[in-house]
Amino acid sequence: MKFFIDTANLKEIDEARSLGMLDGVTTNPSLISKESVSNQKEIQKHYISICERLKNDENVSAEVISTNYIDMIKEGEKLSLLHPRIVVKIPMTKNGIKAIKYFSNKMIKTNCTLIFSTGQALLAAKAGANYVSPFVGRLDDVSYNGLNLIQEIKNVYDNYDFDTKILAASIRHSLHIIECSKIGIHAVTSPINVIYSLLNHPLTNIGLEKFIKDFHRKIK
Ligand code: G3P
């Protein structure tokens, strides 16, 4: 399973790299707004800084802010020209689907975001999106089981052998990652603290403490 880091913060990306848990990066307008950027030029430079930290087949999703078709196309083409590792992130709207179709025909990679239903994921795959981002945590927040959506999308995509990869997003805790890995999807994207929550277990800490204590009690 690929671990993408859901952040625009360069330090967090470097930390994920040092942990060996960096297979890609996803951003969104809210995450970008947290960084010290104040205009389009600075945002573009920031995306390039992220791309320069990536290697092999790793990529970064950079989201358009435009909502009408023509501006989405213009913005998306500008983003894709910044660096070969840019994947253009497009919201699941009528104009978004049209834009994904356009980019698919031009071999520009896209990630269809703000997916909350199987129907939306089906449309995104048919339009030729390279990735879909179903938001697990935000469904949980409104008392729907976000993981059920991941399973349903996987079943539908397997029925038709779609090339579109499922990149589960809005991942809030380790169980989301574990359950997504059981379902067998391509990737999850989460803040690095959620990856750390996979790592920590109290019995590991207790066991290690006892090993060291027992050892030093005998071996001076
Ligand atoms: O970036 C898309 C998604 O991962 C956002 O997650 O935690 O804001 O619902 P969250």
Side-chain angles (χ1 to χ4, degrees):
M1 169 180 258
K2 300 235 181 240
F3 282 6
F4 283 48
I5 300 295
D6 198 33
T7 186
N9 183 279
L10 300 178
K11 282 202 179 73
E12 196 172 328
I13 294 167
D14 292 345
E15 190 179 345
R17 173 69 77 208
S18 67
L19 202 62
M21 295 296 155
L22 182 66
D23 295 314
V25 175
T26 57
T27 69
N28 64 43
S30 305
L31 292 171
I32 280 285
S33 70
K34 289 178 183 170
E35 300 309 308
S36 46
V37 290
S38 54
N39 58 50
Q40 282 302 335
K41 202 126 193 67
E42 288 174 358
I43 292 173
Q44 289 169 2
K45 272 174 70 182
H46 194 82
Y47 281 135
I48 292 169
S49 300
I50 294 174
C51 289
E52 287 168 349
R53 280 165 163 75
L54 302 180
K55 56 186 183 185
N56 306 327
D57 62 345
E58 298 163 4
N59 58 50
V60 52
S61 290
E63 189 161 343
V64 298
I65 199 72
S66 310
T67 52
N68 73 67
Y69 176 67
I70 298 299
D71 291 341
M72 270 181 176
I73 300 299
K74 280 188 197 148
E75 193 181 348
E77 283 180 332
K78 255 193 210 153
L79 284 170
S80 71
L81 289 172
L82 287 178
H83 197 285
R85 292 185 187 280
I86 294 272
V87 172
V88 181
K89 211 176 190 184
I90 308 262
M92 170 42 73
T93 62
K94 184 178 168 190
N95 287 326
I97 285 292
K98 285 167 62 179
I100 287 168
K101 188 67 197 162
Y102 172 89
F103 288 124
S104 166
N105 293 334
K106 297 200 72 170
M107 304 298 279
I108 292 174
K109 285 195 171 177
T110 56
N111 175 357
C112 187
T113 190
L114 289 167
I115 296 273
F116 293 98
S117 74
T118 305
Q120 289 179 324
L122 190 51
L123 289 176
K126 283 182 66 66
N130 298 84
Y131 299 94
V132 283
S133 293
F135 279 33
V136 181
R138 293 194 194 184
L139 281 167
D140 289 358
D141 292 346
V142 292
S143 307
Y144 284 82
N145 184 325
L147 289 166
N148 286 348
L149 174 62
I150 300 298
Q151 182 63 71
E152 206 170 85
I153 294 171
K154 176 78 168 56
N155 296 344
V156 166
Y157 280 19
D158 288 351
N159 285 346
Y160 298 98
D161 210 12
F162 283 130
D163 294 331
T164 304
K165 292 185 170 72
I166 303 169
L167 170 50
S170 191
I171 297 292
R172 300 278 169 76
H173 49 70
S174 53
L175 264 184
H176 277 163
I177 295 180
I178 292 161
E179 292 305 319
C180 283
S181 67
K182 287 181 192 171
I183 295 169
I185 61 170
H186 175 74
V188 292
T189 189
S190 74
I192 195 158
N193 63 305
V194 177
I195 294 175
Y196 280 131
S197 71
L198 283 174
L199 183 147
N200 298 319
H201 195 292
L203 289 179
T204 304
N205 303 336
I206 292 165
L208 182 59
E209 213 172 297
K210 188 174 181 322
F211 286 162
I212 293 167
K213 214 164 133 204
D214 292 349
F215 180 85
H216 287 304
R217 188 181 302 122
K218 183 79 180 0
I219 320 290
K220 297 299 171 209

